[in-house]
Amino acid sequence: IAMTPVCEGSDQLLTATSTTAGVTYNWSGPTPLVVNNNEATIKAATIASNGSYSVSATLNTCTSKSATVNVAINPMPVVPTIAMTPVCEGSDQLLTATSTTAGVTYNWSGPTPLVVNNDKATIKAATAASNGSYSVSATLNTCTSQSAAVDVAINPMPVVPTIAMTPVCEGSDQLLTATSTTAGVTYNWSGPTPL
């Protein structure tokens, strides 16, 4: 019996071969098979399909001993999750993938180049142009999960404010007024004397 292991959810094909011409094949196994003489298919195979499958050959009422094969369906990795903490424009944006399936490798994609270290992907010196949907899938034994996605929105860097003042005489209050073209900012003051 020949077979190539498949991923969970795919059809597992088993193929029998005999050097005796004209035989018919008799299949059996722990889960139902769709049989086409020398070929038997486990439809939409799952881990529950694993086990020993056998086939014998019959010719003129004579039946051979059975050949067996152990089917082991490759499990499909669990869809990963993505964690991130939004950063300000010009900083590196780190994306971290996690899967409950051990030993997976991760496959990243997104609208801008990523520096990838398996479960971690970094957008270097991120800008507003880095915004968009980034996705990751998990692969184990040639089986690749569906993708998880996260929307990256880099926080814009406020424009440097300007300061206006009118000089005053000693003993008077000196007022400093900051203005920024970026709406909604809060201002952080510092200087040699309390403000």
Side-chain angles (χ1 to χ4, degrees), residues 10 15 31 33-34 40 47 52-53 69 79 99 109 113 116 137 140-142 154 157 168 189:
S10 298
T15 304
T31 58
L33 294 164
V34 177
I47 302 305
S52 180
Y53 292 75
V69 66
V79 177
S99 174
S109 64
V116 174
S137 59
L140 182 67
N141 297 328
T142 74
I154 303 301
M157 187 63 69
V168 297
W189 292 91

Side-chain angles (χ1 to χ4, degrees), residues 3-58:
M3 72 166 190
T4 300
V6 299
C7 299
E8 193 171 7
S10 298
D11 293 348
Q12 176 67 74
L13 177 65
L14 310 176
T15 304
T17 306
S18 174
T19 57
T20 303
V23 298
T24 57
Y25 295 91
N26 318 292
W27 292 91
S28 64
T31 58
L33 294 164
V34 177
V35 174
N36 183 15
N37 199 23
N38 73 314
E39 293 182 340
T41 304
I42 306 168
K43 303 294 285 185
T46 67
I47 302 305
S49 308
N50 289 352
S52 180
Y53 292 75
S54 62
V55 64
S56 60
T58 297

Side-chain angles (χ1 to χ4, degrees), residues 9 28 32 37 59 61 68 70 73 75 79 111-112 118 124 180 193-194:
S28 64
N37 199 23
L59 182 66
T61 73
T68 61
N70 286 318
I73 304 300
V79 177
T112 58
N118 198 25
K124 302 295 285 185
S180 174
T193 58

